[in-house]
Amino acid sequence: MSSSPIPTGYLRSLRPWDAALIVVGGIIGGGIFLNPGIAAQRTDSGLTLLLMWVGAGVLTLIGALCYAELGARRPQAGGSYVYMREAFGPLAGFLFGWTMLLVIYSGSSAAVATIFASYACALFGLPPAAWGLPLTVGALVIVAGLNLFGLKLGAQIQNLFALLKLLAVAALVACGLFLAGAGHGQVLAADPARHGVGFMGAALPVLFAYSGFTYLNNLAGEIHDPQRTLPRALMLGMLLVIVAYVLVNVAYLAVLGHAGLAASHAPAADVMQQVFGPIGARVIALGVAISALGFCNITLVAGARVLQVMGEDGLFFRSVARLHPRYHTPNIALLLLIAWSIVLTLSGTYGQLLDYATFGDWLACAVGVSTLFWYRRHDDATARFRVPGYPLMPLIFIAVIAWVVLATMRDNPMNAGIGLAIIAAGAPVYFIWRRLFGLKP
């Protein structure tokens, strides 16, 4: 089987540094500023916590390497949707797009836009009850406006967001290690109050903070020399994120200790407050707000490309497949995804939907990685990048994610069941759509 034709409608304007910063921006959102406290509650020592963050980083790097080969084989828009459609058929691709639209990308954007609003209120001293919802909706509208006029402009703004969030991370690490926590000797210490708590429960919040490494593949149709650029950008971006995440957790532990981190609902703000007082808390509030806005930007831009390709395939509205004649952007798809994110925000149910489908995001990643075996068997095109250690590396990734998903289903069967039900609900929709529009199976 030869390579699928690559659409020519998109402009390949993303350079290596742009692509690497998209990886950084797609992963670093609000998770690293909030989730370490949750992870600390589910581990018994600083050493266990750090091993969890390192292990999850290595696992994500393995997944990124697999997606690097997939992106090099299919350097076109659509990412996981394209891989699942080709390997497992249009139903599998549709279910991914359905879940992405309904909860994963839209719910993530709505939730993180809410984080932006809460920190913006803290930064400017605004009452959250009055300003929270308008700022959340405003953030999503701003993201739409930034990306309607071409990806080049959007990429430049995204680069600024990514660099500013890396600066916020660097400031947090510097404050934690050199101004407040150096020499405290509590980074790796055990927490007697949590003896025997295990660590499996920490997997989901840590993995959630690493999610988003697949977004760059959705934009592969706009990457210059994608067979070379995409693998390098994924590896560079992932290494930057892993180093940043581990150092941030070391800083948290150095200042707060494991017990203090477990008791904290906003560890980044607590660290900066301890070092610089109210000024420090306002500075990190600005950093978190920028980080959240950048994450929303990448999530919605990447999701719009999936909807556009689905429209081309006849698995979504044909109008969504249109690209702007001047800017070569899927503006209708982008506006639709943002509109649904705003609906979830206004409904107040996005948080629950996100909880139900969080594990589904990683389940989709595992299914995406599994398509690599199909490509190795059926695609005779020579890939310019291949996963080192194949087939062991993809098998490790799939096995670990399956373990986490099964553990989640065991520990929280209701949320996992509802998440699976949301995915499964797409099947009858697919068959109805196919019947109405006369699509072939």
Side-chain angles (χ1 to χ4, degrees):
M1 176 178 167
S2 59
S3 297
S4 299
I6 300 172
T8 58
Y10 288 108
L11 299 179
R12 294 193 177 277
S13 58
L14 293 177
R15 301 290 173 173
W17 185 239
D18 300 322
L21 288 179
I22 284 174
V23 176
V24 172
I27 299 175
I28 301 179
I32 189 57
F33 301 105
L34 303 172
N35 286 13
I38 301 173
Q41 295 170 11
R42 303 175 184 182
T43 53
D44 59 5
S45 69
L47 176 61
T48 305
L49 179 66
L50 290 178
L51 288 176
M52 176 62 72
W53 283 94
V54 172
V58 172
L59 177 69
T60 310
L61 180 60
I62 292 172
L65 290 172
C66 295
Y67 265 77
E69 179 173 335
L70 291 169
R73 287 179 177 274
R74 293 293 183 268
Q76 61 195 76
S80 296
Y81 165 77
V82 172
Y83 316 146
M84 294 182 196
R85 181 199 66 196
E86 292 192 355
F88 305 129
L91 174 59
F94 180 85
L95 290 179
F96 170 78
W98 160 268
T99 311
M100 179 218 73
L101 170 63
L102 198 63
V103 286
I104 296 179
Y105 283 36
S106 54
S108 297
S109 300
V112 176
T114 303
I115 294 174
F116 162 81
S118 63
Y119 276 89
C121 288
L123 179 63
F124 297 107
L126 301 173
W131 285 91
L133 185 58
L135 285 173
T136 301
V137 174
L140 296 172
V141 172
I142 288 171
V143 166
L146 293 177
N147 290 281
L148 291 176
F149 304 102
L151 189 62
K152 185 175 182 180
L153 173 62
Q156 291 172 344
I157 296 171
Q158 177 59 35
N159 289 352
L160 178 61
F161 283 154
L163 291 172
L164 287 174
K165 71 174 64 180
L166 287 174
L167 180 62
V169 167
L172 183 60
V173 171
C175 289
L177 295 183
F178 301 112
L179 298 180
H184 281 198
Q186 58 184 356
V187 171
L188 305 179
D191 185 352
R194 301 185 184 277
H195 178 70
V197 76
F199 67 93
M200 193 60 213
L204 214 57
V206 173
L207 286 175
F208 178 76
Y210 275 109
S211 61
F213 69 92
T214 63
Y215 293 167
L216 181 63
N217 288 58
N218 294 356
L219 302 166
E222 293 155 279
I223 298 175
H224 178 73
D225 190 11
Q227 287 90 349
R228 288 171 57 88
T229 299
L230 193 145
R232 293 179 178 180
L234 278 168
M235 285 186 283
L236 176 59
M238 273 308 310
L239 290 174
L240 282 172
V241 171
I242 293 170
V243 170
Y245 277 13
V246 172
L247 288 178
V248 165
N249 277 275
V250 170
Y252 289 153
L253 291 168
V255 176
L256 305 174
H258 188 274
L261 179 57
S264 174
H265 297 289
D270 289 345
V271 168
M272 296 297 286
Q273 175 90 19
Q274 187 164 323
V275 177
F276 292 116
I279 294 177
R282 295 174 78 90
V283 168
I284 200 60
L286 176 62
V288 175
I290 291 172
S291 181
L293 195 61
F295 176 86
C296 292
N297 185 63
I298 288 297
T299 304
L300 292 168
V301 168
R305 271 63 183 174
V306 175
L307 294 180
Q308 186 271 326
V309 178
M310 290 178 69
E312 278 189 343
D313 291 343
L315 292 179
F316 204 53
F317 301 107
R318 292 287 186 182
S319 59
V320 173
R322 297 174 190 161
L323 298 181
H324 190 280
R326 177 179 177 183
Y327 300 114
H328 300 269
T329 49
N331 287 352
I332 296 176
L334 178 63
L335 291 174
L336 177 63
L337 186 56
I338 287 177
W340 181 245
S341 299
I342 291 174
V343 169
L344 292 182
T345 300
L346 295 175
S347 72
T349 62
Y350 59 88
Q352 294 91 325
L353 291 171
L354 184 61
D355 287 341
Y356 299 149
T358 294
F359 84 102
D361 190 12
W362 278 90
L363 180 60
C365 290
V367 175
V369 167
S370 72
T371 66
L372 192 57
F373 297 100
W374 184 90
Y375 281 111
R376 288 287 186 108
R377 178 174 298 180
H378 295 91
D379 186 6
D380 59 1
T382 302
R384 293 174 63 176
F385 177 85
R386 289 178 176 266
V387 179
Y390 177 90
L392 182 60
M393 289 300 179
L395 288 173
I396 290 174
F397 183 87
I398 294 169
V400 173
I401 297 304
W403 179 37
V404 172
V405 168
L406 290 173
T408 303
M409 294 176 68
R410 180 198 63 205
D411 297 339
N412 200 336
M414 179 173 291
N415 280 0
I418 295 176
L420 289 174
I422 291 172
I423 298 171
V429 175
Y430 166 79
F431 289 111
I432 292 171
W433 189 278
R434 196 184 73 190
R435 184 176 182 84
L436 288 175
F437 296 96
L439 299 176
K440 296 180 180 180

